[in-house]
Amino acid sequence: MSKMIMGAQGEWEIVIGMEVHAQVLSVSKLFSGAATAFGAEPNAQVSFVDAGMPGMLPVINKFCVEQAVRTGLGLKAQVNRSSVFDRKNYFYPDLPSGYQISQYKNPIVGEGEVYIDLAGGETVRVGIERLHLEQDAGKSLHDQHPDQSYVDLNRSGIALMEIVTKPDMRSSEEAAAFLRKLRAIVRYLGTCDGNMDEGSMRADVNVSVRKPGGPLGTRCEIKNVNSMRFIAQAVEFEARRQVDLIESGGTVRQETRLFDSKLGETRPMRSKEEAHDYRYFPDPDLLPLELEQAWIDTIAASLPELPDEKKARFMRDLGLSAYDAGVLVTERELADYFEDLARGIDAKSAVNWLNNEILGRLNRDGRTIADCPVTAHANNTILKMIADRTISGKIAKDVLDIVWSEGGDPADVVRARGLVQMTDTSAIEKAIDAVIAANPDKVEEVKAKPKLAGWFVGQVMKQTGGKANPQVVNALLKTRLELPEEG
Amino acid sequence: MSLPTNPTSFTLADAREAVRKKEISSRELTQAFVSAIEGARTLNAFVTETPEKALAMADASDARIAKGSMGPLEGLPLAIKDLFCTKGVRTTAGSNILSNFIPPYESTVSQNLWDAGAVMLGKTNMDEFAMGSSNETSYFKPVLNPWRARNSNRNLVPGGSSGGSAASVAANLCLGATGTDTGGSIRQPAAVTGTVGLKPTYGRCSRWGIVAFASSLDQAGPMTRTVRDAAILMKAMASVDPQDSTSVDVPVPDYEATLEQGVKGLRVGIPKEYRIDGAPPEIDAMWAKGAEWLKAQGAEIVDVSLPHTKYALPAYYIVAPAEASSNLARYDGVRFGHRAKGAHDITDLYEKSRAEGFGAEVRRRILIGTYVLSAGYYDAFYSRAQKLRTLIARDFTQAFEKCDVLLTPATPGPAFAIGEKTSDPVSMYLNDVFTVTVNLAGLPGISVPAGLTPEGLPLGLQIIGKAFDEATVLRVGRSVEQAAQFAAKPEAWWRAA
């Protein structure tokens, strides 16, 4: 896919950088003990600190710091042993203290990198500029009363990680791939649930255009693009807008724009909304955050295997294709499920089973791998029964359907329902004899038209309740019906 | 021990002993102060009197005494500066914007006092948000200094910002009071009311629940009639607090135990930069006398230099307003406090509420603070002020290589008249010239009454110590107190006829 967009005066390159706000997975807020659960009654999870009451002081939540460090390590980034919390000052009703505690000049995490895989098999490196910790604001509700606004402070003070990339992306596809990859990484790490619907992950996208190889153009920041689909739409629209503007003799103004998902377009925010002088200065209520290397090392040692490493291992140790491995590692739960499912089984047949049988049924039922009704272990049992020819592939699917809807252990189901594959030739021969005896006309027909052998196979399978080994049935039928080898 | 007839003239230590010996009940003691406060409303020392609460607390205290379980301050009535949030009791910070604010929580420092058995008499008047040196910026009108010049009826300021606390201690309206000190707000009013005021090391007392002015400078401390009383209150107020990240976990010693150890062998530094042009001659004279007193008691007097002293006031008037402009942003009329009527949108609500809620001095400092933090000015002002702060702190560190404590005047002059300096903010700010350095360096400092001017107005000497060495500061303060033999009391002209 070409990364250039075509204007009237030739090709233009899109340059994209992102600022992602990822909510730290933590039961309590960044500077108070109040709860963070989603969906609580308005203002039910607000401490005096979160409400900006007089004389209240923030106290750093060590777990949130640990989560930021863990994320930094997962982004292969520099963790800064000393960082500073600053106040970002502005007035808004959902910002109770009149300032947001953030990190400005000295963030907790410095430069890192993320690799993204594109559809064509290309891998792109996206540089991470920094990650810093900050508080979320509350929420203003303008639709609850005809002439008043309400404020819900449940979100006020919740810990966010702002992750800033370098302007390393060149297409909406790359931008969406980056966000997917970042989401996968933080979910692997357990530092953010990545739930974009609940606002746990929100992205601001910086877009500019330039002539290929030329100097960077003026960028516009598109605020709060909160789904993968919207990112692609927003980037495409904004790049096209800038190209048209420049080509018609205009200049791009550096500004903040909002993406309107209904119209699929970006529009400038009112200048009043962006004319802030935030007057950053170090928060005197908080000491500089000093981390011990030993503590960082302990966190590093506890990191899980991340998507890139897992993918490489799946390819190297299990012989999976880059595509199969790449799909499997997008979700940690899926990769874990796969590994349990594939234990002791040929990896390719495990992948096929997962893709065709499990994901197909999940999709049908509107479920995810996390709430799959059949465990990976049960699937592993089924696959092992196919491998050792206890059951046929067809019976295996029936067994899966049974345990999918009724539960139970697949081995028990096979035993209790007598589904064990028939490999005893004398029993199969008996069934063949019966079918031949009952259908003399068909026997004549098949001699003229060997393709009709399939009908006999079906009848024999029916006679044996599907338990006959199909290969054995085929072979025996061919002998009995005196069919040519290649039929 | 012979007790004075009126228990309101007890020292805190006297009262403690009388209560312990059951010579007086907490209720009797408390009732005496409640009556004294009622009789001294002319001074306007209290924003909120809490007599019912005081008597209820006294009764609870008497019940504990009867059971033999006594805290270190059992049954002793105190006044609390109206900057400390008190659960269920209006806390105004001297401002209209908080004139209706009733906190649902208790500050750590005041809770420490109640846990020690103390009784709350009420909330004392103060400069609005602790911004002022004369108590004239209070929304609740100025406090009058109990002291007047000899043969004069002119009302004087009690200093500020802890003016109500200072006046109530000086006028025997409480056994002691809490104050807060950001640039001198304990020591300066103590000096001009003939009382003792101790600002401990930054981090010694928790700031949790104290309405913030300038977070990196604010510290709570005791205001009392004697140095011993300050030692007693200091011990009870101090604590490390997990709710205040800037409080420091250094053990709080028994300050009383070392109070009488004298100054023999101690090196007392005299910083030459504290000799300022235009100061009244009695300031220098008293300073010299203080050095002589300590020398006579065995201390060694050393000349030291604090070369960056002249930058302290400018640095302070950048750092403190900068922090204040941010700290006071929460007073927006949205969640608590004064909300203007008739606002047509949110910006209008902010502007009207804050314009009506804040007085002129607070508005001035918010403007200064906003300006010095603004894009393009930050480096020229705030950054440089912080660098100066580092240099000022280093001055002290270097001086303390040559001495154990510093002796300086507490103020450049005695109490001045109401209205005398209100039109000239800079002359008002100069009142803190000897005290702000200590806040900028985070050190402990005490003001001890040392004598009277020829007009009969009290003056104080300041002793500055090393970080967390309040024990030595109090000990030297006690030596000054003993030598000064300061026994003067103001005439009780305010008492209702």
Side-chain angles (χ1 to χ4, degrees), chain A residues 51 53-55 87 89 93 96 277, chain B residues 105 207 209 326-327 330 335 350 375:
Chain A
M53 300 293 277
R87 292 186 183 177
N89 296 282
D277 177 352
Chain B
Y105 43 85
R207 293 184 296 111
S326 177
N327 283 334
R330 68 190 60 200
R335 283 149 293 118
Y350 289 155

Side-chain angles (χ1 to χ4, degrees), chain A residues 112-402:
Chain A
E113 61 186 17
V114 167
Y115 286 91
I116 54 175
D117 294 329
L118 303 179
E122 189 193 353
T123 299
V124 172
R125 177 187 183 276
V126 177
I128 298 295
E129 175 76 35
R130 59 184 279 165
L131 174 154
H132 70 249
L133 276 169
E134 63 183 30
Q135 300 174 298
D136 204 349
K139 206 164 80 180
S140 295
L141 309 167
H142 301 296
D143 54 1
Q144 308 285 308
H145 188 277
D147 47 35
Q148 288 181 9
S149 289
Y150 289 0
V151 177
D152 176 7
L153 295 179
N154 280 351
R155 239 170 54 185
S156 167
I158 282 182
L160 301 178
M161 297 179 282
E162 181 173 324
I163 301 164
V164 183
T165 77
K166 298 198 179 274
D168 285 352
M169 289 159 277
R170 295 290 177 270
S171 67
S172 58
E173 183 201 3
E174 290 184 15
F178 168 77
L179 199 59
R180 265 195 298 274
K181 186 60 174 284
L182 180 64
R183 182 173 179 274
I185 291 171
V186 294
R187 284 171 55 85
Y188 266 67
L189 292 166
T191 56
C192 172
D193 67 19
N195 196 329
M196 296 186 83
D197 296 340
E198 293 174 5
S200 305
M201 230 175 143
R202 317 193 279 271
D204 300 337
V205 188
N206 291 307
V207 178
S208 64
V209 297
R210 65 174 173 186
K211 285 290 184 184
L216 287 173
T218 305
R219 64 187 165 86
C220 290
E221 181 182 5
I222 311 168
K223 279 276 179 202
N224 264 333
V225 190
N226 49 16
S227 86
M228 304 286 176
R229 195 162 54 91
F230 293 161
I231 283 176
Q233 279 183 19
V235 168
E236 298 288 339
F237 177 89
E238 180 59 20
R240 175 57 60 189
R241 184 189 73 85
Q242 292 182 16
V243 167
D244 292 348
L245 183 64
I246 297 168
E247 290 190 335
S248 62
T251 46
V252 177
R253 208 164 62 92
Q254 183 163 344
E255 63 184 358
T256 305
R257 301 176 68 86
L258 275 179
F259 178 68
D260 184 325
S261 58
K262 283 197 194 89
L263 301 173
E265 57 184 44
T266 67
R267 58 175 171 80
M269 287 176 83
R270 283 177 291 135
S271 59
K272 214 174 172 182
E273 291 170 300
E274 54 171 325
H276 286 135
D277 177 352
Y278 291 120
R279 293 171 284 123
Y280 283 99
F281 74 107
D283 191 328
D285 287 332
L286 292 159
L287 304 172
L289 190 56
E290 307 285 351
L291 309 181
E292 283 181 17
Q293 190 57 47
W295 189 61
I296 299 170
D297 293 344
T298 309
I299 298 169
S302 74
L303 285 198
E305 185 183 39
L306 290 169
D308 289 348
E309 300 154 23
K310 203 181 280 288
K311 181 183 170 189
R313 180 168 62 82
F314 283 0
M315 290 169 69
R316 186 184 63 233
D317 295 355
L318 304 178
L320 294 185
S321 69
Y323 177 79
D324 281 343
V327 170
L328 286 175
V329 302
T330 51
E331 293 280 348
R332 183 178 177 172
E333 290 85 349
L334 183 64
D336 289 349
Y337 192 95
F338 168 73
E339 284 210 78
D340 287 345
L341 180 152
R343 196 149 287 135
I345 310 275
D346 165 56
K348 185 65 197 169
S349 45
V351 170
N352 289 342
W353 180 262
L354 181 66
N355 286 342
N356 300 334
E357 306 306 327
I358 306 301
L359 297 184
R361 282 172 176 77
L362 288 175
N363 200 28
R364 178 195 68 200
D365 296 356
R367 288 167 176 263
T368 65
I369 196 76
D371 57 0
C372 182
V374 179
T375 64
H377 179 75
N379 279 293
N380 180 263
T381 306
I382 296 175
L383 290 177
K384 277 188 173 148
M385 287 190 291
I386 300 177
D388 66 14
R389 298 171 181 262
T390 306
I391 54 174
S392 66
K394 185 180 175 304
I395 289 289
K397 293 176 191 179
D398 296 340
V399 172
L400 177 59
D401 279 331
I402 292 165

Side-chain angles (χ1 to χ4, degrees), chain A residues 48 51-59 87 89 91-93 96-99 105 277 279-282 284-287, chain B residues 101 104-105 207-210 215 242-246 326-327 329-331 335-336 346 350 370 373-375 378 382:
Chain A
F48 294 138
M53 300 293 277
M56 293 298 99
L57 299 172
V59 176
R87 292 186 183 177
N89 296 282
F91 284 96
Y92 207 68
S97 298
Y99 56 84
K105 284 186 182 155
D277 177 352
R279 293 171 284 123
Y280 283 99
F281 74 107
D285 287 332
L286 292 159
L287 304 172
Chain B
F101 177 61
Y105 43 85
R207 293 184 296 111
W208 193 87
I210 301 173
S215 310
Q243 292 180 288
D244 176 2
S245 312
T246 63
S326 177
N327 283 334
R330 68 190 60 200
Y331 307 108
R335 283 149 293 118
F336 48 78
I346 186 65
Y350 289 155
T370 303
L373 288 176
S374 296
Y378 181 90
Y382 188 79

